[in-house]
Amino acid sequence: MNTAGHSTAKAPRGLELTPFRGLRYDPDRVGSLAAVTSPPYDVVVRPDGLHHLQSADPYNIVRLILPEAGTPGARNAQAAETLRRWRAEGVLTADPEPGLYVYEQCDGDGTVQRGIIGALRVSDPDERLVLPHEDVMPHIVADRADLMRATSAHLEPLLLTYRGDDGPATATASLIERTAGQPPLLATTTEDGFRHRLWSVTDPADLAAVQRELAGHQALIADGHHRWATYRRLRAEHPSPGPWDHGLVLLVDTARYPLRVRAIHRLLHGLPVADAVSALDGPFRVRRLDAPLAEAMDVLAGAASAGNAFLLAGDGAFHLVDRPDPGLLARTVPADRPVAWRTLDATVLHTTLLDHVWRIPDSPAHIAYIHDAAATVEKAERDGGTAVLMHPVHEDVVRDLARQGVTMPRKSTSFGPKPASGLVLRALDL
């Protein structure tokens, strides 16, 4: 029975996190757990990163989350058949009983992040329980929905944060710390240096304590806006109650485990750096930096602390763009939003630079979104485009805007560390 989909209890006013039977790799059937994991689908750099992961192990999760075939329909059918075959062969097996999963990530510097993976009731926006902070692109939501329909599975958890109490340890925090002292279900270290550990929590008293506590909170979508929008679309398509009423999430209490916020960079196809710089010289101050990437990013950070600033690259150098003309901003940035939104670098990039100065539409044919700065620069230099490197937004700004119901331009932030894909899946027929 699908515990997450057939609960008859009245939904609480807050977050409702429900146990589920996780679908996990059998370590005896794969080369290593690290070799079958992947970053989230939208972080994988394509095509190079995708092909690297495909070659790491024939059972790597990218064959499900980013299947390759000639048409979208063929891709989704291939993913569904691959998932069916892996389950039939015992490569992926279901845990014997429903549980919530404590998940720990540690980087090489000793930074630890812990949270709980479960099936969260999909709520409506007017409930103000799960707060988005970025806009979504309809075609991406449609693509993810097609994949989820075909596979009837949630293949990777999205990342949500909430603010627990700052005082004594809460029931959830105590459970997480106690569980982390026990032998894990799995432990692996991925090639980025992160160590991952996972535990299943099945004790009814522990589950009830977590559910009671989370019912008093709201969550911020840190990573996975398109997948949350997909959950909402698919819930509307299917009868309720049912398994589509819930979506796979990782919940992290940022009062105890603050996330890192990084920028997401842009690659502008077909716009040479010389043309990009020429169009901005005048409305902005433009300075050439003959420096390595790390030093150029430090200069960008200093400039961004004083106002809007961007770093353009792709011609072997870096070009710092800052000090926009106030009159230009007044003409191009909508005035019907809070000041915090109007002064975002992402807002100025999209409304002023992309829409007004460069006149580049926000579509995959014209813009790629890449999380890694070095990869963005490398692809710009190789393809003859322009890399636009961004400085990250502070988490407080993101949360304050979300609470006001104001969304930022899409791909404005990258919260992390993100959960690795492939450690636990949710099949909707379990």
Side-chain angles (χ1 to χ4, degrees):
M1 178 178 177
N2 188 305
T3 305
H6 294 85
S7 172
T8 57
K10 184 178 180 181
R13 289 178 297 174
L15 302 173
E16 180 189 347
L17 193 67
T18 308
F20 70 103
R21 290 181 63 197
L23 194 63
R24 298 188 295 110
Y25 281 100
D26 180 346
D28 294 332
R29 298 296 307 275
V30 298
S32 73
L33 289 175
V36 295
T37 64
S38 163
Y41 79 97
D42 58 339
V43 180
V44 176
V45 177
R46 286 168 267 183
D48 299 347
L50 176 60
H51 295 157
H52 171 72
L53 290 164
Q54 288 172 338
S55 64
D57 191 284
Y59 298 116
N60 190 284
I61 192 69
V62 294
R63 298 184 187 278
L64 299 180
I65 63 175
L66 290 172
E68 286 197 304
T71 66
R75 288 196 295 271
N76 296 326
Q78 176 180 291
E81 170 57 23
T82 300
L83 178 59
R84 185 205 62 77
R85 187 174 71 254
W86 289 359
R87 292 179 66 180
E89 295 172 354
V91 175
L92 288 168
T93 60
D95 285 331
E97 57 183 318
L100 298 176
Y101 294 83
V102 171
Y103 176 44
E104 175 190 86
Q105 294 164 275
C106 303
D107 66 11
D109 299 327
T111 301
V112 177
Q113 175 177 290
R114 292 175 180 147
I116 289 192
I117 296 175
L120 185 71
R121 180 176 69 89
V122 179
S123 53
D124 292 321
D126 58 9
E127 294 183 70
R128 304 289 296 153
L129 291 179
V130 177
L131 305 179
H133 70 267
E134 291 182 354
D135 296 328
V136 297
M137 295 289 283
H139 74 276
I140 298 178
V141 175
D143 175 73
R144 290 295 102 182
D146 289 341
L147 178 63
M148 288 186 200
R149 281 192 210 95
T151 58
S152 194
H154 295 154
L155 302 172
E156 47 184 347
L158 53 85
L159 175 60
L160 304 182
T161 71
Y162 70 101
R163 295 286 297 179
D165 297 332
D166 293 321
T170 62
T172 303
S174 297
L175 171 65
I176 289 174
E177 301 311 310
R178 187 172 73 249
T179 303
Q182 300 170 3
L185 283 177
L186 65 84
T188 190
T189 301
T190 45
E191 66 179 5
D192 58 3
F194 271 88
R195 181 167 61 91
H196 307 263
R197 296 198 296 168
L198 190 77
W199 299 260
S200 178
V201 177
T202 58
D203 180 80
D206 288 335
L207 297 176
V210 171
Q211 290 170 318
R212 280 194 304 270
E213 193 165 273
L214 290 176
H217 290 281
Q218 64 179 187
L220 175 73
I221 302 176
D223 185 69
H225 284 80
H226 289 92
R227 280 168 285 165
W228 181 256
T230 301
Y231 290 165
R232 289 188 51 242
R233 173 180 290 192
L234 294 175
R235 185 204 61 178
E237 293 177 2
H238 291 82
S240 182
W244 299 95
D245 289 349
H246 294 73
L248 186 63
V249 306
L250 166 64
L251 270 167
V252 174
D253 177 2
T254 53
R256 284 176 168 74
Y257 299 104
L259 269 65
R260 303 168 186 169
V261 186
R262 293 189 169 93
I264 301 177
H265 312 290
R266 276 69 168 159
L267 173 63
L268 310 182
H269 305 301
L271 178 66
V273 176
D275 293 348
V277 169
S278 175
L280 295 179
D281 197 3
F284 289 77
R285 181 177 68 169
V286 181
R287 289 180 288 162
R288 180 186 173 100
L289 305 177
D290 290 304
L293 174 60
E295 185 177 324
M297 292 300 287
D298 287 341
V299 175
L300 173 63
S305 67
N308 299 120
F310 312 92
L311 206 59
L312 307 188
D315 61 351
F318 295 100
H319 306 267
L320 180 67
V321 176
D322 65 354
R323 297 189 183 179
D325 172 41
L328 175 63
L329 297 184
R331 293 193 304 273
T332 56
V333 177
D336 61 346
R337 306 283 183 90
V339 172
W341 182 89
R342 298 201 304 269
T343 54
L344 288 169
D345 286 339
T347 297
V348 172
L349 172 63
H350 282 261
T351 63
T352 304
L353 275 68
L354 293 174
D355 292 351
H356 181 79
V357 178
W358 292 327
R359 299 189 182 280
I360 295 177
D362 188 2
S363 70
H366 297 88
I367 304 175
Y369 291 82
I370 303 176
H371 290 71
D372 183 78
T376 312
V377 174
E378 179 184 336
K379 286 179 72 67
E381 291 179 344
R382 187 174 62 203
D383 302 342
T386 294
V388 182
L389 306 183
M390 311 280 288
H391 184 69
V393 182
H394 197 276
E395 181 185 358
D396 289 344
V397 175
V398 177
R399 192 175 295 276
D400 288 346
L401 285 172
R403 284 175 173 158
Q404 295 177 59
V406 178
T407 54
M408 301 161 64
R410 75 184 188 99
K411 302 294 183 184
S412 294
T413 61
S414 175
F415 282 86
K418 304 176 191 302
S421 299
L423 297 181
V424 61
L425 292 66
R426 178 179 177 241
L428 301 189
D429 61 350
L430 292 174

